[in-house]
Amino acid sequence: EVQLLESGGGLVQPGGSLRLSCAASGFTFSSYAMSWVRQAPGKGLEWVSVISGSAGGTYYADSVKGRFTISRDNSKKTLYLQMNSLRVEDTAVYYCAKHYGSGKYNHGMDVWGQGTTVTVSS
Amino acid sequence: DIQMTQSPSSVSASVGDRVTITCRASQGISSWLAWYQQKPGKAPKLLMYAASSLQSGVPSRFSGSGSGTDFTLTISSLQPEDFATYYCQHTNTFPHTFGQGTKLEIK
């Protein structure tokens, strides 16, 4: 079964750091681009960042550029999101998602994790 | 960055109705558009990609159309399980922005 399982969320003070992990199973992890998408409480979806299968390419939303770093360890089949200089407005459920189609970015995201909650508050 | 605008923001409909949701891009995105369904407390589910390609396992009552800047998602005959929030997302250049969502409610 294709599955993604996020972990690492929690409560952190403004200015703090957190690292999210997403463990993948059931597919050839290294063949697929992976993204992080977040959803603030009661709000819509916001795409955060993407990384290619080989980790050779990364892109970020302007709202997190310079503060968040996406990475992956294909040997461990795990995706990461290092979040630094956290702000109250970063409070959200963070989902990891697999892009549909080997090597493709353009066909949407077909497998999603259950989400992990990040709360930034003093 | 490309902005995505969905309309309406919410719609009330009955089981069996035909419903259309519109998504407009601030600039041309060819056919690089995806549609998702999200139910409360759950992760989004991919319905359509490349504007009109139905994702495997998604019922055929869902259809998508459009290219350039204007796109639609149509549900031909609403079923009880279709009441949810729907999002479009452009998948052209990064950032892959989502629309603000359309909440489909039971009338």
Side-chain angles (χ1 to χ4, degrees):
Chain A
E1 181 189 3
V2 177
Q3 198 168 6
L4 298 172
L5 186 62
E6 302 99 335
S7 60
L11 174 64
V12 61
Q13 292 187 337
S17 297
L18 212 55
R19 189 176 85 154
L20 305 183
S21 298
C22 170
S25 59
F27 64 99
T28 306
F29 183 66
S30 59
S31 294
Y32 296 89
M34 298 290 296
S35 274
W36 288 97
V37 175
R38 67 184 181 183
Q39 188 168 35
K43 302 298 184 182
L45 301 172
E46 180 185 13
W47 177 83
V48 172
S49 183
V50 66
I51 186 168
S52 66
S54 65
T58 59
Y59 299 90
Y60 298 90
D62 288 345
S63 58
V64 306
K65 201 174 294 182
R67 300 187 299 122
F68 289 13
T69 302
I70 191 170
S71 63
R72 63 193 296 162
D73 185 334
N74 286 341
S75 67
K76 295 182 178 178
K77 298 185 180 182
T78 303
L79 175 73
Y80 303 101
L81 186 67
Q82 177 67 43
M83 303 185 295
N84 298 331
S85 303
L86 281 161
R87 305 168 179 168
V88 171
E89 55 266 33
D90 294 318
T91 295
V93 174
Y94 284 74
Y95 296 100
C96 64
K98 166 188 167 290
H99 281 250
Y100 179 56
S102 177
K104 297 185 187 301
Y105 290 118
N106 304 105
H107 288 186
M109 295 168 282
D110 66 332
V111 181
W112 295 65
Q114 85 290 349
T116 188
T117 300
V118 172
T119 303
V120 185
S121 174
S122 55
Chain B
D1 295 353
I2 298 170
Q3 308 303 315
M4 306 302 294
T5 304
Q6 286 182 234
S7 61
S9 296
S10 65
V11 58
S12 295
S14 301
V15 172
D17 284 353
R18 179 184 181 92
V19 169
T20 297
I21 299 169
T22 297
C23 180
R24 175 165 288 176
S26 60
Q27 63 190 74
I29 57 171
S30 185
S31 296
W32 297 124
L33 187 92
W35 288 97
Y36 300 87
Q37 176 193 68
Q38 187 180 34
K39 296 182 179 179
K42 300 294 187 182
K45 173 186 175 183
L46 178 66
L47 299 176
M48 312 287 306
Y49 63 94
S52 59
S53 294
L54 190 68
Q55 174 65 359
S56 176
V58 175
S60 59
R61 62 181 180 272
F62 291 90
S63 64
S65 66
S67 66
T69 60
D70 294 315
F71 301 86
T72 59
L73 174 72
T74 299
I75 310 171
S76 60
S77 178
L78 276 172
Q79 298 302 300
E81 60 268 30
D82 299 337
F83 292 94
T85 300
Y86 292 83
Y87 295 92
C88 64
Q89 181 200 27
H90 88 79
T91 58
N92 190 21
T93 55
F94 288 109
H96 284 181
T97 317
F98 287 92
Q100 80 279 15
T102 295
K103 187 173 184 179
L104 177 53
E105 299 174 301
I106 301 174
K107 184 182 286 185

